[in-house]
């Protein structure tokens, strides 16, 4: 009897304890931790109740006992949006900075290279040839002006511009060689038509045109590519937070507040699913982005090729001398062919001075002997150009390394935000799974818009891709095509549909708000024997006639200048 009574008392006591425990479990808990965390976000404490409420009013978070009011849920939803945008901005900062700094650095170095080359040339030749150079300097000044205008986005056809340069040079030299005759403008125009036929400068114009065209096309297209990459990254980083994404973000980031667990982070796979849903359109950019980066690296190889400053400058005096020598040696044949084609010119009138023109020409323009080297000023100028060129080469190498790291950036962005951004909890058991502190079981969906049809965390309309992202995909596709053509020596220029004459910004005629299109122009790398077939070897690091260095380009200008040594 006594034992039975004791058993009944034990059972009654146990039932009482269990009922008290259940009662305690169902009782509303304090919201003190939530109040503290909510206030730390900058929101007023008056919004937060002291004890949990019934949560039927909640539209996003679980509707159990809650520390959230409707107003709090709305504010936390907006806070979720702001924090997500900040996370994307922070995670994409490195790739955006890469293009901003690379564009600025390359552009500055290249323009400095152009300016120093022109100043160096002008200084040396003024001192060496005085009046002779000054009287004909406009031909070369125009050349540098047009080269710079081409690089900075002007609508310049390189092939036509260079051909025009050689024609003008021939006109000047032809008059010096035939100073006993008077030439009208019409006659000189006829003379220029014989440049290709009589080849007064030998093969040098063809070779230098080839080098200049290749190098400037590569440089301009590369700096345009850096600008396009910068603009695409800036625009894509400004995410469009659509309603389903916003609800999922709120549920993941701030519903733990409503459940009195403000410090609880989302489970890793849960975070991945939410981020892949919200950034589905950005991930679709990845394929075209990777092709764009590959094309940028190809053109960078052209700029960082085997044709360095020394190999371009050291033999330049010989090339210049050869060109002038060709003109001197063939002057009679050139004149005869021109007279035959254009007619016999009229002799100069009596009293018009023809004193010593041919003699001056011959004495001024002659090959250097081994002992005749450039002056001290010339050496200093060349050293300065070498310094600039080497700095630019190093810059290209650094840019290439950073570009390689940016591949697959957009498809990796969701995972980077969750892991590198420390948004998710590493412990898969002690994390928020959208309802409670527990493991998250759904599988992680793949990246990209079409794969979000299976995303368990949000409904994504896969039939309506983001229009801004599609525009950036097209911009990358256009730029990739332009880069591939530049690698092969062909030029495609940008045309701003809103302002065809715009050349704002180095390397491009397109500003932030314009739509870029591409059209072919007549600038194609001049052929030199089998040079075109050797392009693959040049790209692999072998030697080729294609100089990617800007100084090669300027070398051409230098060669041109030398041809006026005998002018007065």
């Amino acid at each position: 009897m006594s034992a039975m009574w004791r058993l009944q008392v034990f059972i009654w006591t146990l039932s009482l304890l269990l009922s008290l425990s259940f009662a305690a479990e169902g009782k509303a808990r304090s919201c003190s931790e939530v109040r503290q965390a909510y206030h730390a976000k900058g929101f007023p404490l008056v919004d937060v109740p002291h004890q949990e409420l019934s949560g039927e009013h909640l539209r996003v978070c679980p509707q159990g006992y809650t520390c959230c009011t409707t107003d709090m849920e709305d504010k936390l939803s907006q806070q979720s949006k702001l924090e997500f945008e900040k996370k994307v901005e922070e995670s994409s900062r490195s790739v955006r900075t890469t293009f901003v700094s690379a564009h600025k650095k390359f552009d500055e170095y290249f323009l400095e290279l152009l300016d120093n080359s022109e100043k160096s040339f002008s200084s040396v030749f003024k001192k060496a040839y005085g009046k002779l150079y000054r009287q004909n300097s406009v031909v070369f000044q125009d050349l540098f002006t047009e080269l710079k205008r081409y690089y900075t986005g002007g609508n310049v056809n390189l092939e036509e511009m260079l051909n025009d340069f050689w024609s003008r040079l021939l006109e000047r030299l032809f008059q010096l060689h035939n100073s006993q005759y008077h030439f009208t403008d019409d006659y000189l125009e006829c003379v220029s038509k014989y440049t290709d036929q009589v080849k007064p400068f030998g093969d040098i114009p063809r070779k230098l045109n080839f080098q200049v065209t290749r190098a400037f096309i590569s440089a301009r297209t590369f700096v345009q590519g850096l600008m396009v990459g910068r603009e695409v990254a800036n625009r894509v980083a400004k995410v469009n937070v659509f309603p389903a994404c916003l609800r999922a973000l709120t549920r993941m980031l701030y519903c733990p507040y409503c459940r009195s667990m403000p410090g609880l982070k989302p489970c890793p796979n849960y975070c991945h699913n939410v981020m892949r849903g919200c950034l589905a359109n950005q991930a679709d950019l990845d394929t075209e982005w990777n092709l764009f980066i590959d094309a940028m690296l190809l053109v960078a190889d052209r700029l960082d090729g085997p044709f360095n400053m020394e190999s371009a400058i050291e033999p330049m005096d010989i090339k210049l001398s050869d060109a002038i020598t060709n003109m001197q040696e063939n002057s009679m044949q050139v004149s005869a062919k021109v007279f035959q084609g254009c007619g016999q010119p009229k002799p100069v009138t009596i009293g018009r001075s023809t004193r010593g023109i041919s003699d001056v020409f011959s004495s001024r323009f002659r090959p250097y002997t081994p002992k005749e080297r450039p002056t001290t000023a010339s050496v200093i100028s060349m050293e300065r150009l070498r310094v600039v060129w080497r700095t630019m080469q190093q810059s290209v190498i650094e840019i290439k390394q950073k570009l390689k790291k940016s591949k697959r950036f957009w498809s990796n962005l969701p995972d980077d935000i969750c892991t590198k951004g420390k948004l998710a909890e590493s412990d898969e058991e002690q994390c928020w799974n959208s309802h409670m502190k527990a493991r998250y079981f759904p599988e992680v969906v793949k990246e990209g818009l079409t794969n979000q049809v299976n995303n368990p965390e949000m409904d994504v309309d896969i039939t309506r891709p983001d229009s801004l992202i599609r525009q950036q995909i097209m911009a990358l596709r256009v730029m990739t095509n332009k880069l591939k053509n530049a690698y092969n020596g062909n030029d495609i220029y940008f045309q701003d549909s809103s302002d065809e004459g715009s050349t704002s910004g180095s390397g491009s005629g397109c500003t932030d708000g314009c739509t870029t299109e591409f059209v072919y122009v007549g600038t194609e790398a001049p052929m030199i024997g089998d040079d075109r077939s050797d392009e693959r070897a040049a790209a692999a690091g072998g030697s080729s006639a294609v100089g990617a260095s800007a100084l090669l380009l300027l070398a051409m200008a230098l060669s041109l200048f030398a041809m006026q040594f005998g002018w007065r």
Side-chain angles (χ1 to χ4, degrees):
M1 184 75 176
S2 174
M4 180 63 72
W5 183 82
R6 284 196 297 273
L7 179 61
Q8 290 176 342
V9 170
F10 173 77
I11 293 173
W12 178 82
T13 303
L14 181 61
S15 299
L16 179 62
L17 289 173
L18 288 172
S19 64
L20 289 173
S21 175
F22 290 147
E25 194 68 20
K27 184 179 179 181
R29 293 173 294 183
S30 170
C31 294
S32 58
E33 287 187 35
V34 177
R35 287 172 62 84
Q36 184 178 357
Y38 185 79
H39 186 61
K41 293 289 181 182
F43 298 116
L45 283 173
V46 68
D47 292 349
V48 191
H50 289 276
Q51 300 290 327
E52 289 183 329
L53 309 170
S54 178
E56 292 87 354
H57 58 280
L58 297 179
R59 296 185 296 273
V60 177
C61 297
Q63 294 182 336
Y65 275 105
T66 182
C67 286
C68 289
T69 62
T70 301
D71 187 47
M72 284 179 64
E73 190 181 43
D74 291 340
K75 289 181 179 179
L76 292 174
S77 178
Q78 289 304 308
Q79 184 67 17
S80 299
K81 179 177 182 292
L82 294 175
E83 291 186 8
F84 171 63
E85 292 172 339
K86 184 178 179 181
K87 284 288 184 184
V88 174
E89 193 275 336
E90 290 175 348
S91 298
S92 63
R93 182 176 297 149
S94 62
V95 73
R96 290 184 290 111
T97 300
T98 291
F99 282 91
V100 171
S101 61
H103 178 272
K104 184 175 184 293
K105 185 180 294 185
F106 182 88
D107 195 48
E108 287 178 352
Y109 285 146
F110 195 85
L111 289 174
E112 183 181 359
L113 198 64
L114 280 172
D115 290 340
N116 274 278
S117 297
E118 183 175 8
K119 290 175 183 177
S120 172
F121 175 84
S122 180
S123 174
V124 171
F125 278 70
K126 272 182 184 176
K127 188 171 183 179
Y129 302 103
K131 184 178 180 182
L132 203 62
Y133 166 72
R134 289 194 297 271
Q135 288 179 338
N136 298 277
S137 61
V138 65
V139 177
F140 305 103
Q141 290 170 358
D142 288 348
L143 174 67
F144 276 105
T145 298
E146 288 300 289
L147 289 174
K148 186 173 183 179
R149 193 165 75 88
Y150 171 82
Y151 172 74
T152 55
N155 185 11
V156 177
N157 185 305
L158 276 181
E159 184 179 1
E160 292 180 0
M161 184 272 290
L162 292 172
N163 288 339
D164 181 63
F165 167 80
W166 290 108
S167 295
R168 292 177 66 193
L169 189 59
L170 174 60
E171 291 176 14
R172 300 253 176 166
L173 295 177
F174 185 80
Q175 291 181 82
L176 288 172
H177 273 295
N178 297 279
S179 56
Q180 69 273 29
Y181 295 106
H182 173 66
F183 299 103
T184 64
D185 290 342
D186 290 340
Y187 195 97
L188 291 176
E189 185 177 346
C190 180
V191 171
S192 67
K193 294 178 182 178
Y194 281 82
T195 305
D196 292 335
Q197 182 177 338
V198 300
K199 297 186 183 303
F201 308 113
D203 209 33
I204 291 176
R206 184 162 62 98
K207 291 179 178 179
L208 289 180
N209 283 12
F210 182 79
Q211 294 172 335
V212 169
T213 300
R214 276 300 179 89
F216 266 87
I217 288 174
S218 295
R220 182 169 94 153
T221 308
F222 188 71
V223 80
Q224 286 176 342
L226 291 173
M227 188 189 70
V228 169
R230 178 193 69 192
E231 294 306 317
V232 168
N234 283 337
R235 289 167 183 169
V236 175
K238 297 176 182 178
V239 291
N240 173 31
V241 184
F242 53 94
C245 167
L246 182 57
R247 288 192 295 271
L249 288 170
T250 304
R251 192 180 303 114
M252 180 180 77
L253 297 175
Y254 283 109
C255 284
Y257 276 56
C258 299
R259 300 292 286 175
S260 299
M261 296 179 285
L264 192 61
K265 290 184 176 182
C267 298
N269 288 351
Y270 176 33
C271 181
H272 293 326
N273 275 337
V274 172
M275 289 298 144
R276 289 187 180 191
C278 289
L279 296 171
N281 283 282
Q282 278 75 5
D284 281 350
L285 187 79
D286 215 48
T287 299
E288 207 62 49
W289 177 265
N290 293 336
L291 293 173
F292 163 70
I293 296 298
D294 287 339
M296 285 289 291
L297 292 172
L298 281 177
V299 177
D301 286 340
R302 284 279 190 241
L303 296 169
D304 184 36
F307 306 100
N308 53 40
M309 172 66 176
E310 288 79 6
S311 64
I313 291 299
E314 290 303 324
M316 190 54 60
D317 55 351
I318 299 175
K319 290 182 181 180
L320 299 179
S321 298
D322 286 345
I324 302 305
T325 300
N326 279 328
M327 180 64 185
Q328 288 179 262
E329 292 178 349
N330 299 317
S331 61
M332 293 184 65
Q333 294 93 318
V334 170
S335 297
K337 288 182 180 179
V338 170
F339 293 162
Q340 183 179 0
C342 300
Q344 188 70 25
K346 295 179 180 180
V348 294
T349 57
I350 297 175
R352 185 185 179 97
S353 174
T354 61
R355 180 182 56 86
I357 292 293
S358 298
D359 293 337
V360 172
F361 184 90
S362 299
S363 64
R364 285 291 190 178
F365 291 110
R366 55 188 175 81
Y368 283 120
T369 66
K371 294 182 179 180
E372 285 182 306
R373 305 309 301 164
T375 63
T376 302
S378 175
V379 171
I380 294 174
S381 298
M382 291 302 101
E383 284 300 322
R384 173 57 186 162
L385 288 177
R386 289 190 182 100
V387 169
V388 176
W389 169 239
R390 288 168 185 165
T391 305
M392 183 175 172
Q393 276 188 315
Q394 184 59 38
S395 172
V396 172
I397 293 172
E398 293 172 359
I399 292 171
K400 286 169 62 178
Q401 293 171 347
K402 292 180 179 180
L403 288 176
K404 290 176 182 177
K405 293 179 181 179
S406 71
K407 291 192 70 172
R408 289 192 56 77
F409 174 79
W410 300 106
S411 59
N412 290 333
L413 182 59
D415 297 346
D416 287 346
I417 291 176
C418 290
T419 54
K420 295 180 182 179
K422 299 180 180 179
L423 190 62
E425 172 61 58
S426 57
D427 189 339
E428 295 186 2
E429 299 292 342
Q430 301 296 314
C431 56
W432 175 252
N433 70 359
S434 81
H435 296 286
M436 62 183 75
K437 182 196 289 188
R439 176 180 285 272
Y440 180 80
F441 290 100
E443 294 183 356
V444 178
V445 297
K446 294 181 179 180
E447 307 95 344
L449 184 61
T450 56
N451 292 315
Q452 303 315 304
V453 68
N454 298 316
N455 195 318
E457 300 309 323
M458 68 185 78
D459 293 325
V460 181
D461 187 353
I462 64 172
T463 65
R464 299 182 63 184
D466 187 289
S467 60
L468 175 64
I469 300 297
R470 300 298 134 174
Q471 289 173 6
Q472 304 316 304
I473 289 175
M474 182 55 65
L476 289 174
R477 192 168 296 161
V478 169
M479 193 66 236
T480 299
N481 182 63
K482 182 176 174 67
L483 288 162
K484 288 179 178 178
N485 275 278
Y487 177 77
N488 291 321
N490 301 324
D491 193 19
I492 297 176
Y493 70 88
F494 278 142
Q495 178 174 325
D496 181 354
S497 58
S498 62
D499 182 6
E500 291 187 9
S502 173
T503 56
S504 176
S506 293
S508 174
C510 181
T511 55
D512 288 347
C514 71
T515 302
T516 56
E517 302 171 349
F518 65 90
V519 293
Y520 277 100
V521 294
T523 300
E524 183 169 339
M527 300 297 293
I528 301 184
D530 296 330
D531 283 340
R532 178 69 64 132
S533 64
D534 290 336
E535 282 176 8
R536 289 184 294 275
S543 64
S544 156
V546 182
S549 87
L551 281 173
L552 257 181
L553 325 176
L554 304 172
M556 174 255 167
L558 211 56
S559 112
L560 317 176
F561 281 95
M563 301 180 185
Q564 50 188 317
F565 287 11
W567 298 327
R568 81 171 52 218

